[in-house]
Amino acid sequence: PDRLPRFVSLPIPKTENGVLRWWGVPLEQVITHNLSKLFPGMEIQTSYPFRITRNADFAIEEDEADDLLLAIEQELRKRRFGSAMRLEVQVGIPSDLLATLMEEMDLVDQDVYAVEGLLSLADLFALSSLPFPDLKDPAWTPVVPPRLKKLKPLTFLEEDSHRLDDEQSDIFSIIRAGDVLLHHPYESFSATVQRFVAEAAYDPNVLTIKMTLYRTSGDAKFADSPIVNSLIAAAENGKQVVALVELKARFDEENNILWARKLEKVGVHVVYGLVGLKTHTKVVLVVRRDGQQLRRYVHIGTGNYNPKTARLYTDLGLLSCREDLGADLTDLFNYLTGYSRQLSYRKLLVAPVNLRDRMIEFIQREAELQRRGKKGRVIIKMNSLLDTDLIAALYAASQAGVQIDIIVRGNCALKPSIKGVSDNIRVISIIGRFLEHERIFYFHNNGRPKVFLGSADWRPRNLDRRVEAVVPVEDPALTMQLKELLDLYLADNRHAWDLQPDGQYIQRRPAEGEPERSAHRLLMRAAQQ
């Protein structure tokens, strides 16, 4: 039962030497040993646990649905009755019992996985809450970026919003002084992105806030999301607030429906996205009256507006008031709210409009530079690489002599180090304390680097069926900072795994006498310094 803990704790006292121990029994074993109480008067012959994975997708004809929110609610009720896709059983289950399960669920042999040991290993997360600090990573507290350290605490905003003005050191004045690059979880989410949205909500000079919400923190039943609460406060303070809430964010649909209703109740203009597309982009647009002019401030990031995952996932974000980015986000929100069919942008690369084609152009340019005797260099970092067109472009660039490094945490359909095909491509995966989630795209461009960050992985669903935004980082200091970050990852010899041509990964180890280089530890140390 999902509503009960997977492990039943047994009260075991400390041992004689003072070492604290914990003993737990899997719930299914407790049930097994008490089956006679569940089936009184019957003979228990045998029992085996099994686990079913059901199809969680649901098909909605968006263009035919009178009310998308209501249609998704109705489909959510059906999810627990979705068709079985996978059956996990314990090794040794009798063949006749297994055959019965397969027949009832309409499964074939390739859908069945025999597991030796515990089923549903995700439940082992419960062990992380046990009081054994010596077995855990040292606590990490994200730092406030140096440029934002002089800002006053967030609490004063709600109490004295009238005190915000241009003469005061607010986050907007800091952004006007130059773009700010953010790196979570090394830098605080609450003191940066959350601060940006909250300050906009209470600043009397802010007129408009527009934001995309794919996944956010908190349970809508308890209204404990600071980001959404800031949007509610902004609407109550008389600002125009637009929130694109993606109702089709898998497994967050129910929570997002509740958030959407709460936002609508206070007058937020809630949009549910475009027909046939998921809105996965992570963007905020704030319109503010600065003296006699209106100025647009933006945040464009790689991760969700979720302070909880911002402590676990590595993500990047850019705070800027560049006019071209503000104009692009205005056009993007007009596109998302159905007021335009935007086909071109000044700086942003947007899926499904131009993202794939532009990335292929950048790869091909590196190949052409290499053929002309220049240095071709590509470094990309993402969660997954599956798009065949982009993989083909990378193969062609490799054959032209371009040196290509790919840092990919999840699925990778590209095969590196194949003679005559991908000799110049290296693929690594970083698996460490934090979950690698940022997307960075670096092109050497004959010594004038083009560097981008954004929400898109290189897979067909992201490039064809999702709205994604990728932004160029043009400040030379920030461009250098991102290049140094990529080099740090590529030099990791502790948590990096090298992908082999046959699809196997080999973990790197420091050579004898070589210092250990863990990117996560080095980045934490650098943030503290």
Side-chain angles (χ1 to χ4, degrees), residues 158-172:
E158 302 178 21
E159 300 164 359
D160 301 299
S161 60
H162 63 280
R163 288 169 51 196
L164 281 167
D165 54 55
D166 289 337
E167 297 177 0
Q168 194 170 1
S169 179
D170 55 53
I171 197 166
F172 301 108

Side-chain angles (χ1 to χ4, degrees), residues 1 11 57 86 91 131 144 263 318 356 363-364 413 424 501 508 520:
D57 283 338
R86 176 175 63 179
V91 170
V144 178
L263 289 166
L318 185 72
R356 179 192 281 110
I363 296 169
Q364 291 174 339
N424 296 307
R508 292 182 183 175
H520 292 171

